[in-house]
Amino acid sequence: MLDALVDARSTLAEPLLAAACARMRQVDADASVKEAAIALAASFLSAAVGSESLRESALKELVGKLSSEVTRLEAVRALATVAKKNVVAMGTVMDEVVDEMVSLLRQTSRPLRQSALTCLTALATHTPPPLATPILTALPPLLTPNDPY
């Protein structure tokens, strides 16, 4: 019974994750549609469902959304969700994500800084110690006791 449920979940996940990737790529999609697609992709990446190539594609799409002003905050939150539940999935883009999150800590938007810090915290706490070193060394110069995070 459980095996049938897992098979059904994997079978349904593949087309849903592919549709979410397609919506994230769509240039003329409404912001709320893109945000929903980003959240859906994060859910699937967190649960590690779908083929490995599709998960890799979805992760790269999420990282790509960090460069868009419209989807940046939602992408940071999505990457934090993935980092909290399935940091192994972040392996291929970990350095790029860390660099981007560190640069977001310099932004003026408080929600963006808070979300970036949440993502970095999730990465640092769920990553094995040798791999977390770049995260931990990048943070001290950016954080001061006066920071309101």
Side-chain angles (χ1 to χ4, degrees):
M1 175 80 173
L2 185 59
D3 291 336
L5 182 62
V6 170
D7 288 340
R9 185 175 94 169
S10 295
T11 304
L12 293 172
E14 197 81 21
L16 288 173
L17 186 54
C21 286
R23 289 292 182 189
M24 283 192 289
R25 272 188 235 104
Q26 217 171 14
V27 176
D28 60 345
D30 186 47
S32 62
V33 172
K34 284 186 179 185
E35 289 174 1
I38 289 169
L40 179 66
S43 297
F44 283 123
L45 289 169
S46 296
V49 294
S51 70
E52 187 173 335
S53 63
L54 188 56
R55 288 193 314 261
E56 185 70 27
S57 172
L59 188 59
K60 287 182 181 176
E61 284 294 327
L62 276 179
V63 172
K65 293 300 160 195
L66 291 172
S67 63
S68 169
E69 189 75 31
V70 175
T71 56
R72 184 175 295 140
L73 182 58
E74 192 63 35
V76 171
R77 289 177 178 159
L79 289 167
T81 299
V82 175
K84 286 177 190 172
K85 296 182 180 172
N86 187 9
V87 77
V88 173
M90 303 282 285
T92 59
V93 295
M94 177 84 85
D95 292 337
E96 187 178 352
V97 170
V98 170
D99 290 344
E100 189 66 34
M101 294 302 134
V102 168
S103 72
L104 292 177
L105 288 176
R106 295 181 184 104
Q107 298 288 323
T108 57
S109 168
R110 185 175 179 183
L112 192 56
R113 287 194 325 259
Q114 287 175 324
S115 294
L117 189 58
T118 300
C119 185
L120 285 169
T121 301
L123 287 169
T125 56
H126 294 94
T127 303
L131 299 175
T133 304
I135 301 166
L136 299 175
T137 55
L139 287 177
L142 298 171
L143 301 175
T144 65
N146 298 333
D147 283 334
Y149 323 108

